[in-house]
Amino acid sequence: DGGITQSPKYLFRKEGQNVTLSCEQNLNHDAMYWYRQDPGQGLRLIYYSQIVNDFQKGDIAEGYSVSREKKESFPLTVTSAQKNPTAFYLCASRDGYSNQPQHFGDGTRLSIL
Amino acid sequence: AQSVTQLDSQVPVFEEAPVELRCNYSSSVSVYLFWYVQYPNQGLQLLLKYLSGSTLVKGINGFEAEFNKSQTSFHLRKPSVHISDTAEYFCAVSDWRSNYQLIWGAGTKLIIKP
C-alpha cells in the first residue's frame, strides 16, 4: 500500500545535539511538508518542498533544516539552535494539483533528555 | 490574513447523540476546505473535502459537512457518535493567496461520554 513512513516514532535528544527525522513516501507526490504540533496550537508549518532540490521556509523554520535530494524523501534536522524542540512532528505529502488534500505520516515524538 | 477558527476546543457529547464541530474561515476568494481527524499519537487522516459543487459533502465514518459561503463556515456533523469517534478534529482551508498551503484551525477534541 502507498503511504508515508516516518521514523523513528519516538526520539530523544540531548542538549546541544542535532537529530534527523526521516520521512519517506511512495505515493509519487511532488510536494512534501513538515509540521510541528504542540498541544492546543494546531499544526505549524516548518518547511515545505514542491519539487526535488527545492524547498521553502514555513512559519517556524528557525532552528530546523531540510533537504530534498530525492522525490520520495524529505528529512528534517532539528538543530541545537532550536531551543524548544519537544513536540510531535508530522510529515505530509500532496499530489501536484493545488486542490488536492495532504496525506500524513504517523508522526515522530521528539523529547529532550 | 487568512485564518481558520474552530470555535470549541473541546466538545463533550453522549454516545449515540448528534454532534456538530464548528469551523469558520476568513477569505474573500474561492477556497478549498478540509476536515481531518487525529487519533491519539497518530497522524492526521482526511475525513472529507470541499473543492467545488454541492455544498453538502459526505465523508468517511458517517461524517458530513456543509459549506456555507455567506457565513464562511464549514461545520462538521455526525447524526450519532460512537466511542470510537473520540479524537481531535482539524479544519483547514487553502486558496491561491496562500499559494494553496493549508491554513489550520487549532483543533477540536471530541469527547464521547458513555
Side-chain angles (χ1 to χ4, degrees), chain B residues 13-109:
Chain B
V13 62
F14 284 106
E15 196 170 13
E16 298 184 7
V19 69
E20 178 180 82
L21 306 184
R22 296 179 292 171
C23 174
N24 287 87
Y25 65 93
S26 64
S27 177
S28 58
V29 300
S30 295
V31 295
Y32 303 124
L33 297 156
F34 306 87
W35 273 102
Y36 284 84
V37 60
Q38 185 180 33
Y39 300 102
N41 293 313
Q42 293 187 25
L44 276 68
Q45 180 182 5
L46 181 69
L47 270 180
L48 47 80
K49 61 187 178 185
Y50 171 79
L51 303 181
S52 65
S54 173
T55 58
L56 183 63
V57 179
K58 294 191 181 298
I60 62 171
N61 301 342
F63 283 93
E64 64 181 32
E66 185 157 18
F67 170 53
N68 188 319
K69 187 175 181 179
S70 63
Q71 297 186 10
T72 60
S73 68
F74 191 54
H75 300 334
L76 182 70
R77 302 186 183 101
K78 186 170 183 178
S80 176
V81 296
H82 303 285
I83 197 74
S84 59
D85 294 321
T86 299
E88 190 157 19
Y89 294 79
F90 291 92
C91 180
V93 62
S94 71
D95 65 30
W96 65 266
R97 294 183 307 173
S98 67
N99 198 26
Y100 300 104
Q101 303 306 325
L102 288 178
I103 308 299
W104 295 89
T108 298
K109 289 185 179 178

Side-chain angles (χ1 to χ4, degrees), chain A residues 49 51-55 66-75:
Chain A
S49 168
I51 196 169
V52 175
N53 292 322
D54 187 44
F55 49 83
V66 294
S67 63
R68 186 87 187 274
E69 297 176 0
K70 299 185 295 182
K71 187 175 185 178
E72 57 270 23
S73 179
F74 192 41

